[in-house]
Amino acid sequence: MSFPLLTATAVLPALGAIATAAVPAAQRVAAKWLALLVSLGTLALAAVTLVRFDPDGARYQLTESHAWIPDFGVRYQLGVDGIGVALVALTALLIPFVILAGWHDADPMETGSRRWRPTQGFFALILAVEAMVIISFEATDVFLFYIFFEAMLIPMYFLIGGFGDRAHEHGDEAAATQRSYAAVKFLLYNLVGGLIMLAAVIGLYVVAGSFSLQEIVHARADGSLHMATSTERWLFLGFFFAFAVKAPLWPLHTWLPNAMGEATAPVAVLITAVVDKVGTFAMLRFCLQLFPEASKWATPAILVLALISIVYGALLAVGQRDIKRLVAYASISHFGFIILGIFALTTQGQSGATLYMVNHGISTAALMLVAGFLISRRGSRLIADYGGVQKVAPVLAGTFLIGSLATLSLPGLAPFVSEFLVLVGTFTRYPVVGIIATFGIVLAALYTLVLYQRTMTGPVRAEVAEMPDLRVRELLVVAPLIALLIFLGVYPKPITDIVNPAVKQTMSDVQKTDPQPEVEAAK
Amino acid sequence: MENLIALLIAAPLLGAAVLLCGGRRLDAVGQWIGTVLAAASFVIAAVLFADMLGKSPEDRTFTQHLFSWIAVGDFRADVGFQLDQLSMTFVLLITGVGSLIHVYSIGYMEHDERRRRFFGYLNLFLAAMLLLVLADNYLLLYVGWEGVGLASYLLIGFWQHKPSAATAAKKAFLVNRVGDMGLSIAIMLMFTTFGTFAFGPLLGTEGHSGIAGDAGEGKLTAIALMLLLAACGKSAQVPLQSWLGDAMEGPTPVSALIHAATMVTAGVYLIVRSAAVFNAAPDAQLVVTVVGGVTLLFGAIVGCAKDDIKKALAGSTMSQIGYMVLAAGLGPIGYVFAIMHLVTHGFFKAGLFLGAGSVMHGMNDEVDMRKFGGLRKYMPVTFVTFGLGYLAIIGFPGLSGFFSKDKIIEAAFAKGGTEGWILGGVALLGAAITAYYMTRVMIMTFFGEKRWQPDAEGHEPHPHESPSSMTIPMIVLAFGSVFAGAFFSIGDRFVHWLEPVTGHSEGDSPVSALTVTAATMVLLVVGAGIAYLQYGRSSVPVTAPRGSLLTRAARRDLYQDDFNHVVLVRGGEHLTRSLVYVDHTLVDGVVNGTAASVGGLSGRLRKLQNGYARSYAVSMFGGAAILVAATLLMRAV
Amino acid sequence: MNPVNYLYLSALLFTIGATGVLIRRNAIVVFMCIELMLNACNLAFVVFSRMHGNLDGQIIAFFTMVVAAAEVVVGLAIIVSLFRSRHSASVDDASLMKL
């Protein structure tokens, strides 16, 4: 038996979480370093996984399968396809940056404040989230997936509710109230989604007699498992609802701005760049593969919702006064693009959507973390409280600008490739939808540049005049992310090569082929 | 030799990377790094040009394939370059004028603390612009297209501490984004129609005709119109013209390089490059000529009323690009002349802007022409070079503008039919207005009496000639403004040079070339004469008079911004504000309402928990009794 | 004698116990009523054991006695400490467990 690489990738951060939590209270710094080392170790394991993964090999690789609850046919079954392995790598990649960026976020409050901040807990929770997210990307058993899909809410709840921003315009008391509101809202939304999904999971077991993704897909493909049209649709809706809450898709999005606004910037990155990706990933893996017919049936409605998300998220981003909420609404717009790509049911759309998940993770992390550095300096999240930062902190402003440009999908940076693929993929099948989605790129330019202009340019405001530029630790966080954005923008091939075969498989699951051009190129 | 193409781009890109990431250590030498790398790019271009001249005209397309960029399903985009005569023309113009302006900036930006960054941005611009003209497919072109947009954004907003500059930069980027939307839709349309968007298979190379003409005319018209939208954004054509005037907030070398000589002409490049598409879509071509004609007049009228020397020149740039777009819309009879005018315009307009910069340099950065006057004595070199540029742009016989603009006017008439007459007439009228506003600029700046005033801090300006690092580029450009046109036109050199790429046909003009030239001359004299009467004979008031209705409209850019403000900005603000409200109250309200009603229900249920052991016991007994009763009942049934 | 009569007695005792639990306030009385209910059950178990002719009921009755004894220990301790802190043995005074 070979080394269980996938289990190891998830177990290492889980053990790390326990170990970090167990570090004595006095050894606060040691806990941070431990967490960072564990996350780097996980990154190394994920890198090995990526190398060991053969894009042209079997669909699911590095598989592991053990009986778990035999009475219900639940198995501990792991395996990654190109899409899964890319997202595992993304998660493992981002966590060290999240930890490094949040290095001081959970330090004890300055003396005089009675609030207690369990530093160890903060980092342990981040690692716990990492472990659960990774195993969600790897699980090929529906029940196993469901458990971790839901379980990751618990550490996220504490991360949002327990470690808010120090910066709040209405003081600590109001901050605590809003924070717990955001955390509860996050939890309730996702729990409701999860419960509906649980019903669908059970329903699926009743119909199919198995929780194994591969078994069900095979059985459906060779006709041995027949599913009535209405059953399939209901089950599809149950799954999709949960994923649409997590993703989030309009109109189930309102928890995201609250959660991202109240959480610290690194936690906000964790939410939008890592945890939410499970939602879109699961649409690709579970909705499309388990319920191909229902997926096709629901496509028009989902495309409309995705379009609304794109335009609506962007418009609301324009209207925000709060930097972090602005990024949250921008993310809603971007998730619209991802879902659009998935349900356009073209290879360009789906490869683009997968690439988009990766690129959005990196670009939002870059923008949000720099925004977090900015906010921690001034102690305010309001855009109006800034101005002229460029003059006093040019490096900070420069990185912020690059993050903004990545958000508006400037060609040459990674998000452009994915956004364009999604647009092309959508356009080939649904030209009108593609054209409307293209408006999103104009709106994206509007909200990012307005944000940049209001915070960074203009005369220097007195409150920011003393603002220090990025420190070494902060530069260490941002520089690699920016380098990655540029690299993947110029040379996305490493990812597309891994993702393409998996997308081809998914396309054959739903029995769709790309539309052909009118005029055949002379080849 | 072909492997040098990538180096063309790599040199300035390296410069940008080094200068922008290098930190303060490079502050002292930044300008030299930037200039040397720009010049290196020019040298490589010259080497390639010499090599190209050595080959037969059919054999002059160089290609270089670097790597596969995006490959998903049938969607393939490569990073590859194509250097043909059209690209070569642009490469020489970009690197040549670009290098000169780097040199000029060494003097102009001498006292700016962020000079290193300025040169980094300039190099970034060169790299992006070269990528734009060297790309061998539309998607890579798009990268360059937005890359120059970014460089333009950074450079317009270079003095970011000025809110007006930051706003202008944002506006330029946004308006361009609307155009970019057109380009991306065009690429998507090409992909769905042809399955490719690479120049080779689509547009054809070296004798092989592409497949561009094989699609239905409706599709081709759609593609062409989307390309036109892109061109309108980048080249400041109506209706996306509003950003160019504001873009003058940037440092003057930027205005000269980006907003006069090179970037704004990218739209013309796009149209001429896509000739195969436009040729098969006559309706779209008509729209192109209309856009060109309207912009030609629009820019010229705006240019007449502006007192800000740079904005007057910006209006002129719009107008001249209108000529180019008009020519490009004429099809094979106009492509070559569009590019020829583009090149000569690159010389004289860059020279004019540099001259304006030189004037501002000597006048405490004053831009209001009403506060200039009589400067010819103080700035002789600037005066002479600016004067030569002036003569070139109004089409003084023998100078560059004369050759290139005349050809466009002839071609417009040669379009034939009513359209030909209208377009020709518009072009002729434009020539007259050009003569008027340029004469106005010339007189207000260099002639008449001094009208200088101390600036806000009370410093009296002391006009002086600029340092040689600034005057030398101006002299070189003036040289080009004088001789380029004649050089290109003698023996139809330029036509023969570009013909293999763009194709060329002589139209059948209803009016003879001589008549056109004569008419142009008459109109030139009339236009210049009116300006002389208005501004040369009588003194120029320091504060602008109220002016006629048209003047007031032109001063406000024919109300373009007011229109945008009312329709887009205010409408958009209302929309976003109401959406924020809706999101908060309606979408979120439904959820919060559910939560509240659940909370209310549980509040009522909570009252049952009164804490008395006896009442709990009652419910226990009651429950047990109900269970027993139910069991009995079930058994009975 | 007909064993069913013992069942009637058991039911009567149980009802008396239940009524006592519901209406009396003194904790000690409530407690005794609970014991009464338990013993009513015990009686029923024994009767059923006799009627069915096996020992299961008697075994359960022993269990019940053990449980009742344990309950007495814990319950009395609670009542005593309650009385000490509140100087009253009324169950209504111990109504602090509500939300």
Side-chain angles (χ1 to χ4, degrees):
Chain A
M1 197 182 122
S2 58
F3 180 71
L5 200 52
L6 294 187
T7 305
T9 325
V11 166
L12 180 64
L15 290 178
I18 296 168
T20 309
V23 172
Q27 307 292 317
R28 182 169 288 115
V29 181
K32 295 177 181 178
W33 281 103
L34 179 65
L36 184 62
L37 283 179
V38 168
S39 68
L40 288 173
T42 315
L43 178 58
L45 281 175
V48 174
T49 316
L50 204 58
V51 172
R52 292 269 299 277
F53 184 83
D54 172 18
D56 304 316
R59 176 166 197 176
Y60 291 105
Q61 296 180 25
L62 305 165
T63 48
E64 296 164 33
S65 182
H66 306 281
W68 182 24
I69 314 177
D71 289 350
F72 298 108
V74 177
R75 296 183 68 83
Y76 176 78
Q77 206 168 35
L78 302 182
V80 281
D81 58 359
I83 301 167
V85 81
L87 289 170
V88 168
L90 169 75
T91 309
L93 175 79
L94 286 180
I95 300 294
F97 294 114
V98 168
I99 290 177
L100 207 53
W103 202 248
H104 295 301
D105 279 1
D107 284 353
M109 297 297 243
E110 44 293 310
T111 44
S113 169
R114 276 173 299 141
R115 284 214 44 216
W116 171 71
R117 279 173 177 258
T119 311
Q120 284 84 342
F122 182 72
F123 292 100
L125 287 171
I126 291 177
L127 288 176
V129 172
E130 179 181 20
M132 293 184 197
V133 169
I134 286 180
I135 211 154
S136 308
F137 287 139
E138 294 172 345
T140 53
D141 184 284
V142 179
F143 193 78
L144 183 67
F145 171 82
Y146 171 76
I147 287 183
F148 287 101
F149 181 78
E150 285 293 87
M152 72 180 81
L153 299 181
I154 302 163
M156 280 316 303
Y157 171 78
F158 288 111
L159 279 174
I160 296 169
F163 302 88
D165 239 331
R166 289 170 190 223
H168 206 284
E169 74 235 59
H170 301 304
D172 277 354
E173 205 61 29
T177 319
Q178 287 191 13
R179 201 154 54 230
S180 67
Y181 172 71
V184 169
K185 195 168 177 182
F186 162 82
L187 191 70
L188 283 182
Y189 259 89
N190 283 285
L191 269 183
V192 169
L195 279 179
I196 291 175
M197 182 184 166
L198 178 63
V201 167
I202 295 168
L204 180 70
Y205 179 70
V206 171
V207 175
S210 165
F211 282 120
S212 166
L213 178 69
Q214 282 144 294
E215 272 177 35
I216 298 174
V217 171
H218 278 301
R220 295 215 63 186
D222 64 23
S224 59
L225 168 62
H226 177 72
M227 222 183 259
T229 312
S230 61
T231 320
E232 186 183 343
R233 288 178 183 174
W234 280 113
L235 292 179
F236 169 84
L237 287 179
F239 276 77
F240 185 79
F241 184 79
F243 304 149
V245 169
K246 191 80 120 199
L249 182 66
W250 187 90
L252 305 169
H253 63 277
T254 53
W255 63 269
L256 188 70
N258 285 83
M260 279 178 75
E262 300 308 322
T264 59
V267 173
V269 169
L270 203 60
I271 298 170
T272 183
V274 177
V275 171
D276 285 353
K277 295 295 182 306
V278 182
T280 45
F281 162 81
M283 288 181 194
L284 257 177
R285 173 166 281 182
F286 295 102
C287 284
L288 290 190
Q289 293 193 23
L290 291 172
F291 316 108
E293 290 307 316
S295 302
K296 280 186 268 186
W297 161 75
T299 296
I302 294 173
L303 288 183
V304 169
L305 290 181
L307 261 189
I308 295 177
S309 279
I310 292 172
V311 177
Y312 185 89
L315 282 175
L316 269 114
V318 176
Q320 294 304 311
R321 300 182 305 126
D322 174 325
I323 299 174
K324 285 159 90 186
R325 287 179 68 91
L326 189 150
V327 179
Y329 277 106
S331 284
I332 291 169
S333 178
H334 288 143
F335 279 113
F337 273 109
I338 296 176
I339 296 171
L340 194 66
I342 293 174
F343 282 91
L345 301 178
T346 56
T347 39
Q348 289 86 28
Q350 295 192 345
S351 285
T354 310
L355 205 56
Y356 210 125
M357 293 186 219
V358 176
N359 292 339
H360 172 255
I362 302 172
S363 70
T364 310
L367 181 62
M368 194 69 184
L369 292 179
V370 179
F373 300 149
L374 180 72
I375 290 166
S376 69
R377 282 166 167 68
R378 167 78 174 79
S380 165
R381 291 167 10 204
L382 291 184
I383 296 170
D385 283 347
Y386 295 87
V389 175
Q390 201 279 336
K391 195 104 177 160
V392 286
V395 180
L396 192 153
T399 49
F400 192 74
L401 180 63
I402 296 177
S404 305
L405 293 173
T407 304
L408 63 78
S409 302
L410 188 85
L413 297 174
F416 168 72
V417 177
S418 41
E419 190 158 300
F420 200 82
L421 279 174
V422 166
L423 286 174
V424 162
T426 313
F427 188 86
T428 51
R429 206 182 287 285
Y430 308 99
V432 178
V433 178
I435 289 173
I436 299 174
T438 316
F439 280 99
I441 69 171
V442 178
L443 292 173
L446 184 61
Y447 60 73
T448 49
L449 293 185
V450 167
L451 173 64
Y452 182 81
Q453 186 193 350
R454 294 207 180 134
T455 51
M456 298 297 171
T457 69
V460 181
R461 284 178 65 113
E463 297 91 335
V464 302
E466 301 295 311
M467 190 176 274
D469 212 335
L470 285 190
R471 289 175 249 274
V472 176
R473 170 181 65 87
E474 295 167 331
L475 210 55
L476 265 179
V477 172
V478 181
L481 290 175
I482 288 175
L484 259 176
L485 281 175
I486 295 173
F487 175 76
L488 289 179
V490 177
Y491 197 65
K493 208 165 157 30
I495 300 184
T496 49
D497 277 354
I498 290 176
V499 168
N500 281 342
V503 165
K504 207 173 282 174
Q505 287 277 358
T506 315
M507 286 289 288
S508 74
D509 285 337
V510 291
Q511 293 164 346
K512 278 271 191 182
T513 48
D514 288 337
Q516 287 302 307
E518 277 173 32
V519 180
E520 198 50 52
K523 280 169 186 163
Chain B
M1 190 55 74
E2 307 197 333
N3 294 339
L4 283 178
I5 300 176
L7 272 184
L8 273 176
I9 301 173
L13 196 61
L14 175 74
V18 168
L19 290 174
L20 294 179
C21 304
R24 302 241 159 78
R25 271 156 288 155
L26 296 176
D27 272 355
V29 293
Q31 69 275 33
W32 299 113
I33 296 175
T35 311
V36 165
L37 284 168
S41 195
F42 178 65
V43 170
I44 299 167
V47 170
L48 281 165
F49 181 58
D51 188 52
M52 190 180 269
L53 283 180
K55 303 201 169 170
S56 66
E58 296 77 37
D59 211 20
R60 281 178 174 166
T61 303
F62 299 169
T63 55
Q64 182 184 9
H65 183 263
L66 280 191
F67 55 88
S68 164
W69 180 29
I70 309 175
V72 174
D74 297 329
F75 185 93
R76 269 161 216 293
D78 294 343
V79 176
F81 305 119
Q82 172 182 332
L83 180 67
D84 56 11
Q85 290 92 323
L86 179 61
S87 305
M88 194 72 234
T89 312
F90 270 90
V91 168
L92 287 172
L93 177 73
I94 295 161
T95 54
V97 176
S99 303
L100 287 176
I101 285 171
H102 273 75
V103 173
Y104 179 90
S105 306
I106 294 175
Y108 190 83
M109 299 299 282
E110 198 176 354
H111 304 297
D112 197 295
E113 53 176 352
R114 292 162 73 231
R115 182 174 55 176
R116 168 180 60 87
R117 195 173 307 209
F118 181 79
F119 278 87
Y121 292 160
L122 274 189
N123 272 4
L124 178 68
F125 168 74
L126 281 190
M129 189 70 201
L130 287 169
L131 182 64
L132 196 165
V133 297
L134 286 170
D136 76 345
N137 63 69
Y138 280 100
L139 198 66
L140 194 61
L141 181 149
Y142 188 44
V143 176
W145 189 265
E146 288 231 7
V148 292
L150 169 67
S152 157
Y153 169 78
L154 293 169
L155 285 166
I156 294 171
F158 185 72
W159 288 315
Q160 290 183 324
H161 50 92
K162 285 202 309 200
S164 58
T167 309
K170 182 190 67 184
K171 182 174 175 187
F173 197 97
L174 277 178
V175 176
N176 267 296
R177 264 265 152 156
V178 177
D180 297 347
M181 208 176 101
L183 186 52
S184 48
I185 293 176
I187 297 174
M188 293 191 278
L189 266 169
M190 285 180 206
F191 178 69
T192 49
T193 317
F194 304 110
T196 180
F197 41 80
F199 292 163
L202 196 61
L203 306 171
T205 45
E206 293 173 21
H208 303 284
S209 62
I211 53 173
D214 297 352
E217 200 183 313
K219 273 277 167 62
L220 285 171
T221 307
I223 294 175
L225 286 178
M226 286 296 124
L227 289 173
L228 174 64
L229 179 64
C232 284
K234 200 55 86 194
S235 295
Q237 301 293 296
V238 175
L240 298 178
Q241 79 291 1
S242 64
W243 62 273
L244 188 61
D246 293 346
M248 297 299 127
E249 288 287 344
T252 309
V254 173
S255 311
L257 177 60
I258 301 185
H259 305 118
T262 55
M263 185 191 84
V264 283
T265 57
V268 182
Y269 170 80
L270 185 70
I271 296 175
V272 175
R273 172 58 78 197
S274 316
V277 175
F278 280 91
N279 287 344
D283 291 348
Q285 280 186 317
L286 183 65
V287 180
V288 175
T289 52
V290 169
V291 165
V294 169
T295 313
L296 187 167
L297 291 180
F298 188 106
I301 292 170
V302 169
C304 291
K306 292 286 183 186
D307 290 332
D308 178 328
I309 185 168
K310 286 179 74 182
K311 292 204 168 165
L313 289 177
S316 157
T317 304
M318 265 170 70
S319 168
Q320 298 300 315
I321 298 172
Y323 271 109
M324 299 171 209
V325 171
L326 173 72
L330 295 172
I333 52 173
Y335 292 135
V336 174
F337 302 125
I339 300 297
M340 189 163 118
H341 191 54
L342 192 156
V343 175
T344 57
H345 174 256
F347 284 118
F348 57 68
K349 187 52 68 61
L352 287 171
F353 265 111
L354 293 191
S358 177
V359 168
M360 288 160 59
H361 197 69
M363 295 289 288
N364 291 353
D365 286 331
E366 181 58 65
V367 290
D368 189 349
M369 290 190 290
R370 293 185 184 277
K371 295 176 184 161
F372 291 163
L375 286 174
R376 67 181 186 281
K377 282 178 238 141
Y378 301 89
M379 304 180 172
V381 182
T382 307
F383 169 62
V384 172
T385 54
F386 197 93
L388 289 173
Y390 156 72
L391 291 177
I393 193 175
I394 63 171
F396 193 78
L399 273 66
S400 291
F402 168 74
F403 293 101
S404 52
K405 201 190 289 176
D406 242 28
K407 289 286 186 193
I408 293 179
I409 299 172
E410 282 173 34
F413 278 114
K415 169 93 174 163
T418 329
E419 291 158 42
W421 282 105
I422 295 174
L423 292 173
V426 165
L428 271 178
L429 183 60
I433 307 178
T434 307
Y436 171 80
Y437 66 72
M438 282 312 297
T439 309
R440 175 175 175 269
V441 169
M442 196 68 197
I443 292 173
M444 284 176 89
T445 308
F446 291 103
F447 294 93
E449 75 280 22
K450 310 185 240 183
R451 296 183 300 273
W452 316 330
Q453 287 178 343
D455 63 11
E457 285 138 31
H459 298 297
E460 188 75 30
H462 298 287
H464 53 272
E465 190 51 85
S466 300
S468 56
S469 66
M470 288 167 69
T471 50
I472 289 172
M474 285 153 59
I475 294 168
V476 175
L477 287 171
F479 194 77
S481 319
V482 174
F483 297 109
F487 177 78
F488 290 155
S489 295
I490 293 170
D492 282 343
R493 280 199 186 116
F494 204 76
V495 174
H496 293 313
W497 163 250
L498 272 186
E499 202 179 354
V501 184
T502 59
H504 183 68
S505 64
E506 291 296 336
D508 187 19
S509 179
V511 274
S512 73
L514 209 62
T515 322
V516 170
T517 311
T520 319
M521 284 308 110
V522 171
L523 287 168
L524 190 160
V525 172
V526 170
I530 295 174
Y532 176 70
L533 289 178
Q534 264 188 302
Y535 295 95
R537 294 286 296 278
S538 50
S539 63
V540 180
V542 175
T543 47
R546 194 169 133 79
S548 67
L549 199 65
L550 182 65
T551 315
R552 288 203 303 270
R555 264 188 213 135
R556 299 201 54 130
D557 302 305
L558 301 180
Y559 302 117
Q560 55 182 20
D561 285 332
D562 305 78
F563 175 80
N564 288 348
H565 187 79
V566 170
V567 176
L568 297 173
V569 178
R570 211 175 297 162
E573 273 173 6
H574 282 300
L575 182 64
T576 50
R577 220 171 290 154
S578 48
L579 273 182
V580 169
Y581 177 77
V582 164
D583 198 55
H584 194 71
T585 48
L586 231 70
V587 182
D588 218 14
V590 169
V591 179
N592 283 345
T594 316
S597 54
V598 170
L601 183 67
S602 64
R604 242 157 267 147
L605 284 177
R606 194 174 68 175
K607 299 222 169 81
L608 292 178
Q609 305 285 318
N610 55 13
Y612 293 114
R614 283 178 293 127
S615 71
Y616 297 143
V618 168
S619 43
M620 258 168 64
F621 287 130
I626 289 169
L627 275 181
V628 169
T631 318
L632 290 176
L633 207 67
M634 292 300 278
R635 200 170 287 175
V637 176
Chain C
M1 191 173 158
N2 187 359
V4 177
N5 289 336
Y6 291 102
L7 286 184
Y8 288 139
L9 176 63
S10 161
L12 190 66
L13 287 174
F14 190 89
T15 313
I16 293 171
T19 317
V21 168
L22 290 183
I23 63 170
R24 296 304 296 261
R25 289 203 185 143
N26 190 314
I28 300 288
V29 178
V30 170
F31 201 67
M32 290 196 312
C33 288
I34 292 173
E35 291 301 314
L36 192 60
M37 285 159 70
L38 282 170
N39 282 316
C41 293
N42 271 350
L43 182 60
F45 278 128
V46 174
V47 172
F48 285 131
S49 175
R50 167 101 184 157
M51 283 165 71
H52 295 296
N54 64 19
L55 288 176
D56 289 359
Q58 297 195 25
I59 291 169
I60 300 282
F62 279 113
F63 272 109
T64 315
M65 277 185 230
V66 174
V67 170
E71 194 202 316
V72 168
V73 175
V74 178
L76 275 178
I78 292 174
I79 290 169
V80 168
S81 64
L82 204 66
F83 184 77
R84 276 196 189 146
S85 67
R86 300 193 173 270
H87 303 289
S88 136
S90 165
V91 284
D92 286 3
D93 285 350
S95 64
L96 301 169
M97 284 293 282
K98 68 177 174 189
L99 274 168

